[in-house]
Amino acid sequence: MSEAQDKMNQAILARVAGNERFPVAWVIRLGKDEVQFARVIKGGIDEDYAPVKRSTANVYASAILNGLEPPRCLYPCDKPFD
């Protein structure tokens, strides 16, 4: 991880602190073409996910809001829809 990335992570973590009501926080970084998710537990990044396209980020956000982890990979449908 670069020094700039580490400084940005520390600044974000200083603002995102868990508590009893909300023990897990998610940080969403929006880029021009990509989105990156990070799960924060007890004031530290527990898991940092690879950047994904915005269309995939929609699926990730939906999974998170439903109490699930983002899927490891998404495959295109193998059968065409009518």
Side-chain angles (χ1 to χ4, degrees), residues 5-80:
Q5 182 74 38
D6 188 47
K7 284 183 181 181
M8 182 173 62
N9 285 346
Q10 294 304 319
I12 291 168
L13 292 175
R15 297 189 61 123
V16 181
N19 57 44
E20 284 186 36
R21 186 171 179 199
F22 301 106
V24 177
W26 286 88
V27 175
I28 302 172
R29 297 179 186 132
L30 301 174
K32 181 180 176 187
D33 298 316
E34 296 179 315
V35 178
Q36 186 176 26
F37 291 81
R39 181 175 49 230
V40 179
I41 298 176
K42 296 181 182 176
I45 293 178
D46 180 58
E47 190 158 3
D48 214 359
Y49 291 83
V52 294
K53 295 180 196 175
R54 288 183 180 258
S55 58
T56 302
N58 287 320
V59 176
Y60 279 29
S62 179
I64 291 165
L65 290 172
N66 284 286
L68 305 169
E69 291 188 11
R72 292 184 186 271
C73 58
L74 297 172
Y75 295 105
C77 181
D78 58 350
K79 297 180 182 178

